[in-house]
Amino acid sequence: MRLTSIAQVPDALHPGYDPAGHGVGIVHLGLGAFHKAHQAALTDLALTAGGGDWRILGVSLRSPKASQELAPQNGLFTLIEKGAEGSSARVIGSIADAICSAGDPEPTLHAMAAEGTKIVSLTVTEKAYGLNRATLGCDPKHPAVAADLANPQAPQGVLGLLTEALRRRHAAGLAPFTVLCCDNLPENGTLLRGAVVDFARKVDPALADWIAATVAFPSTMVDRITPAATDATLAEAQALTGTEDHAAVETERFVQWVVEDNFPLGRPAWEAAGVIFTKDVPAFEAMKLRMLNGAHSMLAYAGFHAGLPLVRDVMAHAPLAALVHRHLAAAAATLPAIPGIDLAAYAAALAARFENPGIAHETFQIAMDGSEKMPQRIFAAVEDARTRGVDIRPFAFATAAWARHISMATHDCTPYELRDPRAKELRTMAEGKEADAIVTALRAASFIPAALSADMAFWTTVEGILAEMLFEPMIDVIAREAT
Ligand code: CS2
């Protein structure tokens, strides 16, 4: 029998609670595959274990695609978890409804300002926040920030939505919701707090004072490798459940969420889903950013230009896999010890995750938005590498591979699109230029930390590797680097 509705999926695959019996307590901004595979999946387990009015209203900020897929299914979707031994599927019931805020932010603001909303969580990607990391405030030149400063009561961007919703709660005499940033940024709660308070100060200084004094912004480390869903995902969902599901997502079995336990209005029983609550989130965040994400960025640039489309292809290519292991070890050596964590075992587990034969994670997808990712993944590690006497070459190699990517050189690959919010600026710095000119331009770029900019030995190493990458096939440069 071919089933037509996800509600008809066999009971055994359904959540262990009646979704309709639980109200909405969370508004989530950024309704992508990652949210569905991570926070929504863990909240589903927490609802099974602990109950409560903790279902999620999912909001997509730009495209209505995700909400159009989910809304007709009452928010239900299939989560496919994949390991070397095969795939399994279950239906997630934690998303109550899905809307898109683009064009009309009112329904989103209304939900955020509702008394029942206790948490507003976010997975919007690094570039969407409009952060100014140098001032720890907001960037008034960021397009969404500029638009929302000009029209704060009809916001489009993250800072504008949070500020306007908090203003409405304050005016209504309601306690503020907790803001839970789930993007791959260091001390993400602290960064977002600084940006929201700065944004609010430009709109209404008294509101900024209230936000600074009352709103909790716990920091989090989130982890689950989740490739973009494709037609193959939907076909696999149909094979596993017997029904068509346009909102299905696929992910690995591994999942980790480390959270600072600061939720004045309460939270779901996430600990029942294995979530780690600790005061030391920044240490976990640095570990994950420098090891998993740092190695990811390195292998994405090197792998994409070496003709390796997937992360698992990279791990099957012995020389580049050796450079992944080298990078993981170097990144681990820049980190302080974390009680209870064995960094060598963590590195080995990461390599095994990258090898997962069930996960088709594109190097080109990870290569996106490098100017927003490199600072916390690669550049931050160099300073600590210097202090600890760690070899900086692995980080110089990663930087050169990214520089090769922004140079748009296609001597050994087909033309590609540079997907980065600073694409224009980066192309002006690097396109068609030689290694020394690219390095000079990069050193002066606003997103390079001053101490790193002054580290001439680092840049000389980058320039040497980049010169090779601009004239020789990437695959040959990798082979030499790995010997
Ligand atoms: C990846 C991350 O696309 C990327 O930049 O490095 O999305 C990575 O897969 C996740 O952080 C894993 O938790």
Side-chain angles (χ1 to χ4, degrees):
M1 181 180 60
R2 185 165 174 274
L3 301 175
T4 51
S5 154
I6 189 164
Q8 293 170 264
V9 167
D11 275 354
L13 302 183
H14 270 274
Y17 57 93
D18 172 19
H22 300 270
V24 169
I26 301 174
V27 174
H28 182 82
L29 307 182
L31 189 53
F34 182 76
H35 168 66
K36 286 156 75 182
H38 191 276
Q39 300 92 38
L42 293 172
T43 303
D44 188 74
L45 295 176
L47 283 164
T48 305
D53 287 333
W54 290 115
R55 287 179 83 213
I56 302 166
L57 171 72
V59 180
S60 40
L61 295 183
R62 285 145 55 109
S63 154
K65 187 172 177 288
S67 51
Q68 283 167 354
E69 287 162 356
L70 275 167
Q73 304 184 172
N74 285 331
L76 296 175
F77 67 93
T78 309
L79 178 73
I80 306 170
E81 294 174 312
K82 305 178 82 163
E85 72 300 336
S87 304
S88 53
R90 62 191 170 98
V91 173
I92 301 297
S94 57
I95 297 186
D97 201 358
I99 58 177
C100 177
S101 69
D104 179 12
E106 265 317 304
T108 302
L109 289 167
H110 182 78
M112 292 167 82
E115 188 169 7
T117 298
K118 316 285 190 218
I119 297 171
V120 173
S121 54
L122 305 97
T123 51
V124 293
T125 78
E126 299 89 335
K127 64 175 176 276
Y129 285 95
L131 302 171
N132 181 332
R133 298 192 214 177
T135 63
L136 298 179
C138 69
D139 174 7
K141 292 206 278 302
H142 184 278
V145 175
D148 291 355
L149 282 173
N151 194 7
Q153 299 198 348
Q156 308 163 12
V158 171
L159 302 182
L161 285 166
L162 288 169
T163 304
E164 173 60 12
L166 286 166
R167 186 191 69 73
R168 292 185 185 190
R169 291 181 83 102
H170 186 37
L174 292 176
F177 46 68
T178 298
V179 181
L180 186 62
C181 178
C182 302
D183 276 292
N184 286 320
L185 288 158
E187 300 191 44
N188 50 11
T190 309
L191 272 182
L192 182 53
R193 178 181 190 276
V196 171
V197 171
D198 186 30
F199 180 94
R201 198 162 298 288
K202 297 182 197 310
V203 176
D204 174 353
L207 176 64
D209 290 341
W210 181 74
I211 293 174
T214 59
V215 182
F217 290 82
S219 283
T220 61
M221 179 269 249
V222 293
D223 189 9
R224 189 164 223 189
I225 292 173
T226 306
T230 63
D231 288 346
T233 314
L234 307 192
E236 189 166 8
Q238 171 125 28
L240 289 167
T241 67
T243 187
E244 216 169 55
D245 175 2
H246 294 285
V249 288
E250 63 175 81
T251 190
E252 62 178 339
R253 293 200 185 280
F254 180 91
V255 58
Q256 192 171 40
W257 197 4
V258 183
V259 185
E260 197 184 328
D261 203 356
N262 181 13
F263 294 83
L265 298 187
R267 58 164 173 78
W270 281 319
E271 66 283 351
V275 176
I276 300 171
F277 287 96
T278 171
K279 287 195 173 20
D280 202 10
V281 173
F284 282 91
E285 188 77 63
M287 173 184 85
K288 192 249 171 175
L289 282 169
R290 290 189 193 177
M291 293 180 68
L292 189 159
N293 298 114
H296 247 179
S297 287
M298 184 282 284
L299 73 82
Y301 298 116
F304 176 72
H305 289 278
L308 300 166
L310 302 177
V311 175
R312 66 186 188 214
D313 302 332
V314 165
M315 299 310 286
H317 177 78
L320 188 48
L323 295 183
V324 171
H325 286 282
R326 177 181 82 162
H327 193 96
L328 290 170
T334 69
L335 295 165
I338 306 180
I341 299 284
D342 174 348
L343 292 178
Y346 182 66
L350 290 178
R353 290 169 62 195
F354 293 171
E355 284 161 15
N356 189 338
I359 296 289
H361 199 187
E362 291 190 356
T363 49
F364 188 59
Q365 181 186 339
I366 302 169
M368 186 164 60
D369 297 345
S371 72
E372 293 281 339
K373 293 175 175 174
M374 293 293 284
Q376 58 274 18
R377 297 179 177 203
I378 304 293
F379 304 150
V382 178
E383 210 172 317
D384 288 325
R386 287 301 192 202
T387 320
R388 290 165 177 261
V390 176
D391 184 10
I392 50 86
R393 191 164 176 98
F395 308 108
F397 182 84
T399 306
W402 173 59
R404 147 84 204 242
H405 189 65
I406 65 170
S407 81
M408 311 302 298
T410 53
H411 55 278
D412 59 352
C413 68
T414 48
Y416 56 93
E417 186 195 349
L418 182 62
R419 300 189 296 176
D420 192 295
R422 295 188 181 85
K424 208 163 149 238
E425 180 189 342
L426 297 174
R427 289 179 74 145
T428 308
M429 290 196 286
E431 189 161 6
K433 304 265 170 64
E434 307 232 340
D436 57 345
I438 297 175
V439 161
T440 304
L442 276 180
R443 280 186 57 213
S446 60
F447 48 84
I448 302 287
L452 182 64
S453 178
D455 187 340
M456 272 323 291
F458 173 77
W459 291 105
T460 305
T461 310
V462 173
E463 189 180 318
I465 302 170
L466 178 57
E468 296 173 20
M469 290 178 178
L470 291 177
F471 288 104
E472 286 175 68
M474 182 63 105
I475 206 103
D476 294 347
V477 180
I478 290 168
R480 198 162 47 244
E481 187 72 17
T483 51

